[in-house]
């Protein structure tokens, strides 16, 4: 089966640990290699992500439109 491509809009990004972490308006987190640009991960987080992701103490934090905060190590 073919996967249907979705249009998306990047709402924010941050660079850390050799990776680019981008968030999208339709609720995805995209992780790419900073050196090659290759997509390493494409994960559905939830509702719209409207704020830039934040890295603090080695963890990535994402805030969604309905005020849910997600943290990743």
């Amino acid at each position: 089966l073919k996967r249907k491509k979705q249009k998306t809009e990047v709402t924010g990004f941050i660079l850390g640990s050799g990776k680019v972490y981008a968030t999208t308006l339709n609720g995805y987190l995209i992780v790419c290699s900073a050196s090659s640009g290759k997509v390493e991960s494409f994960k559905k987080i939830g509702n719209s992500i409207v704020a830039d992701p934040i890295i603090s103490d080695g963890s990535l934090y994402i805030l969604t439109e309905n005020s849910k905060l997600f943290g990743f190590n």
Side-chain angles (χ1 to χ4, degrees), residues 12-24 28-34 36-45 53 55 60 62 72-73:
F13 66 92
I14 194 164
L15 178 67
S17 301
K19 299 183 188 309
V20 177
Y21 300 91
T23 54
T24 68
Y28 284 90
L29 170 64
I30 304 166
V31 182
C32 302
S33 166
S36 71
K38 182 179 177 186
V39 175
E40 296 179 0
S41 176
F42 191 84
K43 183 176 184 174
K44 179 74 171 168
I45 300 300
I55 294 177
L60 176 73
I62 297 171
F72 302 91
N73 289 333

Side-chain angles (χ1 to χ4, degrees), residues 24-29 43-49 62 64-66 68 70:
T24 68
L25 190 58
N26 58 345
Y28 284 90
L29 170 64
K43 183 176 184 174
K44 179 74 171 168
I45 300 300
N47 292 358
S48 295
I49 301 170
I62 297 171
T64 65
E65 183 178 46
N66 61 352
K68 288 188 178 178
F70 292 89

Side-chain angles (χ1 to χ4, degrees), residues 5-19:
K5 289 188 178 181
Q6 294 183 17
K7 284 190 173 188
T8 190
E9 182 179 329
V10 173
T11 57
F13 66 92
I14 194 164
L15 178 67
S17 301
K19 299 183 188 309

